[in-house]
Amino acid sequence: MSEEIPLFPLNVVLFPGGPLPLRIFEPRYVSMVGRCLREGLPFGVVAIAGGEEAGSPASFHALGTSARIVDFDQLPDGMLGITARGERRFRVLGHRVQPDQLVIGEVEWLPSPPRLPVPQEYGGLTALLRRVLAAEAVRPYAALLELDWGDAGWLCNRLAEILPLPDAAKLALLEIGDPQQRLDVLYALLQEQRLV
């Protein structure tokens, strides 16, 4: 069964559970944020395949993650600041562009992966994430996390979004529904990049 949600193409791959701080200044997104807040609706985050975040609608990848606004504030420069959190994976089946240039996507929701305890052989990934999150530059991101150290899917999502992996690799990881398989693929990627 499909559903329509507003889409926000960004130069980021958002994973379920991931925090997403944004500065909102384009009228189409100010309007979208207002509606999402009033009606308690999510919006969809899709990674840009071509074009820019601002201006004309960019082309985007079909795989994305819904996001729900968890906090908002007016920033010192007068712009709207929001913090959203990734929720559910989806695939875009089709889309239309409204007169205000907001993209509305018809999406199908992908199954939520089951919880999986972190396998013992991947305990080093937990240690790696703890080291990364302790770094000064990462503290603002870390402060927005809801911690779930016992879940392999959560661990994998956090490492995938924070480490310097190519967007194509991040999208491939987001596509994988089975947490054990996603962990195996991530570990192989990290070995290739000599991060583990």
Side-chain angles (χ1 to χ4, degrees):
M1 186 162 102
S2 64
E3 185 177 337
E4 281 197 339
I5 60 171
L7 298 181
F8 201 150
L10 292 168
N11 288 312
V12 68
V13 177
L14 179 66
F15 286 80
L20 181 66
L22 293 170
R23 291 163 44 99
I24 307 296
F25 57 91
E26 288 191 80
R28 60 181 162 171
Y29 296 125
V30 171
S31 175
M32 178 197 79
V33 165
R35 180 172 177 225
C36 288
L37 286 170
R38 278 192 313 276
E39 300 177 26
L41 299 172
F43 61 92
V45 174
V46 284
I48 289 177
E52 302 294 325
E53 288 184 345
S56 299
S59 61
F60 51 84
H61 295 278
L63 188 67
T65 301
S66 66
R68 193 167 303 272
I69 300 167
V70 294
D71 196 13
F72 65 95
D73 197 7
Q74 186 168 2
L75 300 174
D77 60 8
M79 290 188 194
L80 175 63
I82 67 167
T83 301
R85 188 172 315 286
E87 288 188 336
R88 297 170 64 190
R89 298 174 310 133
F90 63 79
R91 187 174 315 285
V92 179
L93 302 176
H95 71 278
R96 60 187 167 81
V97 180
Q98 295 185 156
D100 67 357
Q101 299 298 294
L102 182 67
V103 179
I104 304 295
E106 179 190 354
V107 304
E108 68 173 347
W109 299 106
L110 300 177
S112 294
R115 280 184 63 81
L116 173 74
V118 178
Q120 192 169 11
E121 65 268 26
Y122 289 123
L125 293 181
T126 301
L128 172 63
L129 182 58
R130 286 185 188 277
R131 283 195 311 274
V132 170
L133 293 181
E136 183 72 34
V138 180
R139 286 204 183 129
Y141 163 86
L144 298 173
L145 286 177
E146 291 181 351
L147 302 178
D148 194 0
W149 290 104
D151 181 49
W154 180 88
L155 174 67
C156 190
N157 289 348
R158 302 299 69 83
L159 285 167
E161 68 196 5
I162 201 167
L163 291 177
L165 299 173
D167 280 353
K170 292 183 181 201
L171 283 165
L173 288 166
L174 183 62
E175 179 100 36
I176 300 170
D178 178 78
Q180 178 69 57
Q181 184 186 357
R182 192 172 343 137
L183 208 51
D184 293 341
V185 171
L186 174 67
Y187 193 75
L189 282 168
L190 296 182
Q191 283 183 314
E192 280 175 22
Q193 304 227 350
R194 300 198 168 139
L195 294 170
V196 291

